[in-house]
């Protein structure tokens, strides 16, 4: 059987017992459209615990004007199966509801200034700050690289999304990307992965 690549709304079901199996053009997930027009990932029909995952990263250095709430941006998709990158910041669930584990790492640097400065990092779900998800880090020395890296579990429904947020009053704090050399690969400023557990 040949599976078409399309959007669900473009596929007509046959009255009676007809079903349509297709690859969704938005997220590349194999889905089934039933006779009632309901669309679900094919995996939901034979495996209630289907695993979905996505891996995303940024090759851009990210800066702040100071005292502004920022979203960590992502510019590249490495893996996407039921978890997609939307609008450059939103890690969106498209495969199926459940508990998801979001993990991230961000390479941080303070470029100048004589005093120690703080950066706060937390999570948002559907554009709402998640209570008790904030962590503060202190950067004491200039041009020393530190890595913020931890994970967060969240109950997610289809079309819910998470974002990683950051804030600093210091204009000299950056999320730093570095190019590859002959000796080692490039360093993304931010790496985010999310998978259903």
């Amino acid at each position: 059987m040949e599976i078409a690549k399309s959007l669900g709304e473009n596929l007509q079901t046959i009255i009676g017992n007809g079903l349509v199996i297709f690859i969704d053009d938005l997220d590349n997930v194999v889905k089934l459209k039933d006779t009632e027009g309901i669309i679900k990932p094919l995996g939901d029909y034979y495996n209630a615990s289907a695993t979905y995952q996505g891996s995303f990263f940024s090759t851009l250095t990210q800066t702040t004007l100071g005292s502004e709430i920022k979203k960590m941006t992502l510019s590249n998709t490495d893996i996407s199966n039921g978890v997609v990158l939307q609008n450059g910041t939103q890690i969106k669930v498209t495969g199926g509801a459940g508990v998801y584990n979001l993990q991230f790492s961000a390479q941080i640097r303070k470029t100048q200034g004589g005093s120690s400065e703080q950066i706060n990092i937390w999570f948002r779900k559907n554009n709402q700050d998640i209570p008790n998800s904030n962590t503060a880090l202190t950067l004491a020395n200039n041009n020393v690289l530190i890595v913020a890296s931890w994970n967060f579990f969240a109950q997610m429904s289809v079309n819910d999304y998470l974002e990683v947020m950051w804030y600093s009053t210091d204009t000299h704090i950056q999320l730093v990307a570095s190019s590859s050399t002959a000796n080692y690969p490039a360093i993304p400023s931010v790496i985010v992965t999310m998978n259903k557990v």
Side-chain angles (χ1 to χ4, degrees):
M1 174 189 356
E2 184 174 336
I3 300 177
K5 186 170 183 179
S6 183
L7 301 176
E9 61 266 23
N10 295 335
L11 298 171
Q12 300 295 319
T13 56
I14 302 167
I15 302 298
N17 296 323
L19 302 172
V20 178
I21 297 174
F22 67 100
I23 299 173
D24 193 315
D25 199 36
L26 291 177
D27 56 17
N28 288 319
V29 173
V30 177
K31 296 182 179 177
L32 184 143
K33 185 171 187 178
D34 66 19
T35 57
E36 303 297 322
I38 297 172
I39 298 172
K40 291 184 182 179
L42 187 60
D44 287 3
Y45 289 92
Y46 64 86
N47 182 4
S49 61
T51 300
Y52 302 108
Q53 61 278 322
S55 177
F56 316 97
F57 61 97
S58 174
T59 57
L60 305 174
T61 293
Q62 302 177 42
T63 61
T64 178
L65 297 176
S67 300
E68 60 175 339
I69 295 172
K70 301 279 291 186
K71 299 176 178 183
M72 292 190 185
T73 61
L74 301 157
S75 55
N76 298 274
T77 297
D78 186 30
I79 296 171
S80 180
N81 176 34
V83 178
V84 300
L85 175 62
Q86 177 177 274
N87 299 324
T89 64
Q90 300 169 353
I91 310 303
K92 181 178 178 180
V93 170
T94 60
V99 175
Y100 281 76
N101 181 18
L102 183 144
Q103 301 176 73
F104 85 98
S105 66
Q107 181 170 259
I108 306 168
R109 175 178 65 192
K110 182 167 73 80
T111 59
Q112 57 182 290
S115 59
S116 58
E117 298 291 344
Q118 184 172 294
I119 181 172
N120 289 74
I121 299 172
W122 69 98
F123 301 99
R124 277 188 180 172
K125 179 180 176 181
N126 301 334
N127 205 36
Q128 299 294 315
D129 291 340
I130 298 176
N132 304 305
S133 67
N134 187 24
T135 298
L137 301 172
T138 299
L139 292 90
N141 299 310
N142 295 339
N143 296 314
V144 174
L145 296 170
I146 66 168
V147 175
S149 179
W150 52 89
N151 67 303
F152 188 81
F153 286 92
Q155 182 70 49
M156 305 289 284
S157 299
V158 174
N159 295 323
D160 283 348
Y161 63 87
L162 296 176
E163 295 173 290
V164 186
M165 311 298 297
W166 65 291
Y167 174 88
S168 177
T169 60
D170 188 350
T171 60
H172 304 300
I173 288 184
Q174 301 176 341
L175 310 180
V176 182
S178 301
S179 300
S180 61
T181 72
N183 298 315
Y184 51 78
I187 303 171
S189 57
V190 179
I191 301 171
V192 176
T193 65
M194 191 163 79
N195 64 288
K196 186 179 178 186
V197 297

